[in-house]
Amino acid sequence: MSEVILISKNNVEVPISREAASVSPVLRSMLSSPFIEQQQNKIELKDIESHVLQKVAEYLEYHQKYIKVSENEDIPDFEVPTEMSLELLLVADYLNI
Amino acid sequence: MYRGRNRPRGKATEDNQVRGPNSALTQFLKEQGINAESIRQKWLKSRKTEEEQPSDGVKSESQEPTSVPKNTTRGRRRPLGSSSDDDDDDYDDDDGDDDEDGLELDDQSVGESDDEGKEDSETTRFEESKSTTPRLDGNSRLKRYGIDDEDSDEAEYDDNKSSRTVSETPVLEITQEQAEQKLKRSRQQLQQRRRKKKRAAELLDRKTRRISTLQDTCIAQISSNILKVQRNANAGDESISTKIRDTLGGLSTQNMNKLARTLSKNRALDDHTLQLFLRTNLHTLSFHDCSKLSYEGYKQLAIFAPQLSELSLQMCGQLNNEALLYISEKLPKLTSLDLDGPFLINEATWDGFFARMKGRLSAFHVSNTHRFTNSSLESLLRNCGDSLVSLKLSRLDDVSDYSIISKYLKHENLERLALEYPNKEEYITDDVVSAILAGAGRNLKHLDLNGCTALTDTTILNLKDAFAQNEDNISILESLELEELDQISTDAVVLLFSQIQMPELKFCSLKRCLQLEDMALTELFLNKAAQTLVSLVLNSLKELNGECFEAMSCPKLERLDIGFMGCANDKLVKKLGEQNPKLEILEVFGDNLVTGKAHIRSGLTVIGRQSDTL
């Protein structure tokens, strides 16, 4: 399973699996040919603060983990810190997740 | 989706002939075995009560059970009923709705605290006593109701058989530790039950996604926090909006409109989320979906966002007379108002509003209301005509006299004129438009005549004449929309584009101008407009045979729509990509000759090919 690096505003690198990154249609498009992100496995998201990007990565992994669970299994709620919710909403809108 | 009527009914039920309101949710909960768990909960609590008062419990067991079974049940019901808590209430309600639940509960001898359940149980008990159907053990009963044995609730139920059996077991044998373990387990199962209920509710809401999107999660968080802060704050506390924004992380004013767009897109803009936009220094605010904003919300917006100068409220169906007057009164800097769907505003209020906005309203856009009448239009023009630089009237069912516009709008400052989709095509004629263009046409930057199907070449020629007044026959038009003008001909358009240069034109739509042929487009591509065009819509120009594209070279063109054009094919797609280096989006809906084999330049996205599948 290959890894993709998301780079935040202050050049903080947030590693994430390619499958998880593909949960976002925006990141998925970036990772598909012929974009440079596909070759470098790095996606620059310089408008996004590192702590927000980390939360986004957490959500993508969470989504990837639970998307295939069976009907009978429980899915825990994804926790969003209150103080981050506005900023996270805008980023989520941008990434269409 | 589960269908209650498809379910095989047990004999006992048929015999009972008891019918009650039977919701799909109840069915689902039953199917998931939630009733059994609710029973177990009650049993656990009753046992706890009995442990606390062992002598009473033993007494009731020893005195009554064997001789009079019915009384035994009743004797046990009292302490059980009194011990029911809030967690079980939901299920109790559901149980009470359903005849089969009543039977099930009675079988297991668990009391209902609420009257409905009790009534059902009583009825069923009576029916059951008459019937000769032998009592089933717990497992059989569950099977009878189609409950899966694998479900943990049922497993738990089976461990204990039934409450009747257990209540006959000496209570004191269960240690405190065991009881605690069971309580812990029951708590976990309660959580599981809640999730199942949530899942059932989601199914009923046609939600197929089990994992919420991050946007939904954030919006839910935002809404709940706004409510929380509002509850904790005093009604008159002016810092409440600031507190809300601070609590949620704060946003720059630049991002506020992005937030408004995101909330609208998620259909989440309501009176609560509106709080985020109050007491800010915002000058411009656009809400794309105000359908959930109440009139109180609009009033709050008017009171607490006094800096607003441009306000756009789309789908504002709840905007009432009072709120509109508030807007005019409380927003002293307001100069631009765009309202879509304000059908609660009556004629008198429109009149009052325009009187209050006299001299300061520079842009007024209104669409989709049947209460904006000729009189309202006259009031708008009479009061604000001198200051208007932008006017848009679209889909106004009660406006028939557009000719009055030219009587008031004679000044040369008019920059945007949009007259769209009149109720009847004869309401906007060549004469009406020509009169307006003659008075205020030469300085127009945006002209939008979409859906005015009565317009003919006369309008195009008058437009040419209006611009011909300018020096060097140059127009400053930035956008030109002539959609669905099926009476304008190639000759008129050729004349317009050949005699008037449009070096500022960025957006042009000739969608469904069905008579246009290649020459019209060729002339457009030879005009200076070709150097500045960013977006071009040629949808449904079925008379084109493609020759015009030989002359096409638009260095700034980013979007092009060639949908439903018979001449569009793979070759044309390739050519358009090569000739327009900045072209990013090419729409080819309805072009069946554009196939998956088309050569598409990198950086260009072709949308609408039949061969493309999701």
Side-chain angles (χ1 to χ4, degrees), chain B residues 307-327:
Chain B
Q307 302 296 324
L308 281 176
S309 62
E310 293 178 22
L311 181 60
S312 172
L313 304 171
Q314 304 298 302
M315 302 162 78
C316 57
Q318 294 190 58
L319 179 74
N320 66 3
N321 296 313
E322 192 185 354
L324 184 68
L325 294 175
Y326 248 80
I327 286 175

Side-chain angles (χ1 to χ4, degrees), chain B residues 170-216:
Chain B
V171 174
L172 293 172
E173 283 180 16
I174 298 168
T175 64
Q176 186 70 23
E177 194 181 341
Q178 280 175 321
E180 277 175 8
Q181 278 179 350
K182 293 210 168 192
L183 270 173
K184 192 179 171 187
R185 205 160 42 170
S186 74
R187 245 179 253 125
Q188 287 173 345
Q189 285 177 345
L190 185 67
Q191 279 187 335
Q192 197 179 357
R193 225 170 59 188
R194 282 182 179 147
R195 284 194 202 110
K196 282 176 180 171
K197 190 179 177 185
K198 190 179 162 195
R199 170 80 182 128
E202 283 174 354
L203 274 176
L204 290 174
D205 288 340
R206 308 290 188 276
K207 281 187 190 168
T208 51
R209 289 176 69 97
R210 291 190 69 199
I211 303 176
S212 296
T213 63
L214 188 54
Q215 292 180 61
D216 286 344

Side-chain angles (χ1 to χ4, degrees), chain A residues 59 70-71 73 80 83 93, chain B residues 199 210 212 221 248-249 265:
Chain A
Y59 174 80
S70 68
E71 287 282 311
E73 283 184 65
V80 172
E83 65 283 0
D93 182 44
Chain B
R199 170 80 182 128
R210 291 190 69 199
S212 296
Q221 176 82 293
L248 297 171
K265 207 165 84 176

